[in-house]
Amino acid sequence: MGRFRFAAVVLLALWAVSLWLPVIAGPDPAKHFPGWSILILGVLGFTVGKFGWFANLIIVPAWLWILVRPASQAGRQHSMRRGVAAMLTLLGVDALFWRDMYGDNGAIPIEAFGAGYYLWLISVFGTAALLWVAPRPNASPSAVME
């Protein structure tokens, strides 16, 4: 396995681990949320103008694209990979400005971010970087990470 694909597997593992670690802590000790609960509830974020959760819908196909794409198609898909990388970056930046968790009783201020939040951000920005620097088939050997 090349270094490029190995990096994608590591980022996938970080994302998976982030689902089981605490992501946010609210003012009440009962208001600590693991990553899997944010994955389930995050789809509602668009109702309050938070779109970072949608990176989850893009990141999984992006890993599949990196891991199983035929090398013969890499050149044709170069601009599309860059577009997906830009979308992941924008959605990751949106997640950086997340300050409140919303529940049935209104906004719950986020007092601290847990390790799951930071691992998720690393996996999103890391995947965007991998897509951005993905080699073209006609790239020089020094530019190819595989």
Side-chain angles (χ1 to χ4, degrees):
M1 177 183 308
R3 289 183 295 173
F4 187 74
R5 287 194 171 113
F6 177 74
V9 169
V10 169
L11 291 169
L12 172 62
L14 289 177
W15 180 82
V17 169
S18 76
L19 296 178
W20 300 105
L21 293 175
V23 174
I24 60 169
D28 181 4
K31 299 294 183 189
H32 291 240
F33 295 91
W36 59 266
S37 68
I38 302 301
L39 183 65
I40 292 169
L41 297 173
V43 69
L44 300 174
F46 76 93
T47 62
V48 292
K50 292 295 170 196
F51 302 98
W53 176 88
F54 290 99
N56 294 305
L57 297 179
I58 298 171
I59 200 167
V60 174
W63 287 320
L64 291 174
W65 197 1
I66 291 168
L67 294 172
V68 299
R69 71 174 163 76
S72 62
Q73 296 179 0
R76 291 189 306 232
Q77 298 173 352
H78 186 70
S79 60
M80 190 181 301
R81 284 194 315 260
R82 292 249 169 126
V84 171
M87 284 191 297
L88 279 173
T89 301
L90 290 173
L91 293 170
V93 168
D94 182 67
L96 289 173
F97 295 100
W98 185 30
R99 299 292 174 246
D100 294 315
M101 176 70 180
Y102 293 89
D104 57 352
N105 57 352
I108 301 167
I110 297 172
E111 292 196 350
F113 291 105
Y117 173 77
Y118 296 110
L119 287 179
W120 184 85
L121 285 175
I122 289 168
S123 67
V124 168
F125 289 126
T127 303
L130 278 180
L131 288 169
W132 191 264
V133 301
R136 288 182 165 205
N138 57 359
S140 67
S142 62
V144 177
M145 295 176 59
E146 297 183 293

